[in-house]
Amino acid sequence: MPELSPRRRMLVLAICCMSLLIVSLDNTVLNVALPSMERDLHATTAGLQWTIDAYTLVLATLLMLAGSTADRIGRRKVFMAGLVVFAAGSLLCSLAPNLELLIAARMVQAVGGSMLNPVAMSIITNTFTDPRERARAIGVWGAVVGISMAAGPLVGGLLVESVGWRSIFWLNLPVGLAALLLTLRFVPESRAPRPRRPDPVGQLLVIALFGSLTYAIIEAPEDGVSTSEPFAAVALAALIGLLRYEPRRAEPLIDLRFFRSAPFSGATVVAVSAFAGLGGFLFLSTLYLQNVRGLDALHAGLWMLPMAVPTFLCAPLSGRLVGTRGPRLPLAIAGSAMTASALLFAAFDAETSNATLFLGYVLFGIGFGFVNAPITNTAVSGMPRSQAGVAAAVASTSRQLGQTLGVAVVGAVLAAGVTTSAYRETFVSAAVPGWWILTACGALVLTVGVLTTGPWGRRTAERTASRLAAETDVREPAGVTG
């Protein structure tokens, strides 16, 4: 990628953030609309889970493929294709006549979404080459998530109450079109010097692993454990296949050597844990506010502001802290705040008091605001720039997998405990195991984040980066022809 002027770099960052905005906004808006979809489409709890997880699941399985493909054929080209497919999927979602077709349209959206965030992060990484500038850019990137969390519930609630839930998908169309035109005009094309070759076997194993595991978790409460056991067995077989097959490839879909770096491995665990916490938190909160408290979508969205505003404010602060002091302090703050928030609900029934409910939302917003920048920075900073797309895609995959598992596990626990005939009376007690799971997620963010970002972790990252660079240099002449 050619060296760009400071003004052009900021414009590229803004365009990339537009793609993140529509993807993040789509998720937050959708959560507010879940009760309306439940009534209109006669959906069960499992059906609601699938409207979220069908998207995050497809996204998680295709992100690494999209990252490596963008490195190979051109990041701008793949990014623009993603904008077109995502907008088309959004239009199909707004027209879906039933739950099954809505879920299918969400999967089309996800195919487009898989070409957006990891590719945009790769573009940012290759645009901002100075470590401090890159950390600040990633902080801005994280702030966009906060904007979507702040604006999503309000905009979504207003649209659901005034027009209907289908209108929430219309938001993506003008933003997607603007991002497409600006990308065509201002974002330069870039490729990796030596991109990886396709790995179709690895891709199929990832799809089998993520898909069968999610299905087993979501459908277990309704279909029984015996029905889910074959899918759990497929997931285990796919995991074993990945661990045995990928190390034997010269250029695997998932380069397991990356995980020799303690910070990279830690960032993966933190991403899964933090976004599992986010997925479960939003799922439980939305259903509680509208189905138990009886609030309409707009007022439920207003109740989410105490979580969204701290996320928006803390994300850029986290980026600056990562740039000046490293990722350890932001991760410690994030893990502590997320743990305290979930513990309020698990042990003290925070839902039953406005004061504790408000405090729980504020604490979670602070924690989630601090967690995003150190995940991304740690994932890409120790890796060769030539593989930025793959490294960023692993981090993005971890996020989506975490959110998928958070909704699946917490939703399954809730479905097993809540009584349909006495939904309001049993919801709070049925949600307690879910809140304990979210408490564990926060504790993992704290523990793993602190343990893997110290001097020992930095040494493992340096050794891993030097080995990867040396192995890349050794292989490079073989690809040169006279």
Side-chain angles (χ1 to χ4, degrees):
M1 179 180 286
E3 186 67 28
L4 304 179
S5 66
R7 183 173 177 271
R8 183 78 173 271
R9 289 199 298 270
M10 294 308 297
L11 187 57
V12 170
L13 175 62
I15 294 168
C16 290
C17 285
M18 290 175 71
S19 72
L20 176 64
L21 179 64
I22 58 175
V23 172
S24 301
L25 197 64
D26 194 74
N27 279 334
T28 53
V29 168
L30 180 68
N31 272 278
V32 174
L34 285 178
S36 296
M37 292 178 177
E38 182 180 26
R39 291 189 295 270
D40 192 25
L41 302 177
H42 309 290
T44 62
T45 299
L48 296 180
Q49 289 173 270
W50 279 118
T51 60
I52 299 173
D53 275 357
Y55 177 86
T56 55
L57 179 60
V58 172
L59 204 62
T61 58
L62 296 181
L63 281 171
M64 284 178 286
L65 175 63
S68 59
T69 302
D71 283 345
R72 186 183 313 112
I73 69 173
R75 296 173 181 124
R76 185 179 76 161
K77 189 180 299 181
V78 172
F79 185 70
M80 292 174 63
L83 288 169
V84 172
V85 176
F86 188 85
S90 300
L91 181 61
L92 290 174
C93 286
S94 70
L95 300 174
N98 54 51
L99 183 66
E100 291 75 19
L101 289 179
L102 175 62
I103 292 171
R106 289 281 288 165
M107 295 172 75
V108 174
Q109 263 192 314
V111 173
S114 70
M115 304 181 218
L116 295 179
N117 287 0
V119 180
M121 180 51 62
S122 183
I123 292 172
I124 291 171
T125 302
N126 283 272
T127 301
F128 294 87
T129 55
D130 178 75
R132 292 198 174 191
E133 278 194 3
R134 183 170 58 200
R136 286 193 290 269
I138 291 172
V140 173
W141 173 267
V144 173
V145 178
I147 293 173
S148 71
M149 291 184 69
L154 287 178
V155 174
L158 185 61
L159 286 173
V160 170
E161 289 302 311
S162 59
V163 184
W165 64 264
R166 297 178 186 278
S167 62
I168 64 174
F169 297 105
W170 300 342
L171 293 172
N172 302 326
L173 303 180
V175 180
L177 178 61
L180 180 65
L181 296 176
L182 290 170
T183 301
L184 187 63
R185 174 67 178 85
F186 294 108
V187 177
E189 185 61 280
S190 64
R191 297 177 179 85
R194 190 179 183 279
R196 293 167 181 260
R197 289 176 294 182
D199 179 11
V201 175
Q203 183 63 56
L204 289 173
L205 287 171
V206 167
I207 292 173
L209 171 60
F210 292 174
S212 55
L213 179 62
T214 305
Y215 185 91
I217 294 171
I218 290 179
E219 298 299 330
E222 289 195 5
D223 295 344
V225 175
S226 60
T227 305
S228 300
E229 283 177 351
F231 292 94
V234 170
L236 179 60
L239 176 61
I240 294 172
L242 276 171
L243 295 177
R244 291 178 62 86
Y245 174 78
E246 292 296 280
R248 299 178 182 179
R249 282 186 57 87
E251 295 178 341
L253 177 70
I254 304 174
D255 195 332
L256 300 181
R257 296 173 300 172
F258 284 6
F259 293 94
R260 295 173 185 169
S261 165
F264 184 87
S265 299
T268 303
V269 174
V270 167
V272 171
S273 302
F275 277 76
L278 175 67
F281 193 96
L282 291 176
F283 191 79
L284 289 177
S285 296
T286 300
L287 293 180
Y288 170 75
L289 290 172
Q290 295 191 52
N291 288 351
V292 179
R293 284 209 169 191
L295 300 179
D296 58 34
L298 178 59
H299 287 88
L302 288 171
W303 255 109
M304 303 296 279
L305 280 179
M307 177 183 65
V309 172
T311 299
F312 170 67
L313 296 176
C314 293
L317 175 60
S318 177
R320 287 194 293 270
L321 281 176
V322 171
T324 56
R325 299 188 58 178
R328 198 174 205 184
L329 180 59
L331 287 174
I333 296 172
S336 300
M338 293 177 74
T339 303
S341 170
L343 192 60
L344 274 177
F345 291 92
F348 301 102
D349 292 336
E351 303 101 323
T352 57
S353 164
N354 285 340
T356 52
L357 185 64
F358 181 87
L359 178 60
Y361 284 178
V362 169
L363 285 171
F364 190 89
I366 292 171
F368 192 74
F370 271 98
V371 82
N372 219 18
I375 289 173
T376 305
N377 184 270
T378 304
V380 302
S381 62
M383 299 297 148
R385 284 181 60 196
S386 63
Q387 303 301 337
V390 178
V394 172
S396 296
T397 298
S398 302
R399 289 183 176 91
Q400 299 304 326
L401 177 61
Q403 193 162 351
T404 301
L405 292 178
V407 174
V409 173
V410 171
V413 169
L414 177 67
V418 75
T419 303
T420 305
S421 58
Y423 189 93
R424 293 190 177 189
E425 293 77 11
T426 59
F427 184 95
V428 172
S429 60
V432 168
W435 289 116
W436 280 115
I437 291 170
L438 302 188
T439 303
C441 289
L444 269 176
V445 171
L446 174 62
T447 306
V448 175
V450 170
L451 287 177
T452 59
T453 53
W456 164 75
R458 286 193 294 271
R459 288 194 296 270
T460 66
E462 290 166 1
R463 286 197 300 269
T464 301
S466 62
R467 288 174 183 171
L468 288 170
E471 291 172 15
T472 300
D473 291 340
V474 168
R475 291 197 304 266
E476 192 68 36
V480 178
T481 57

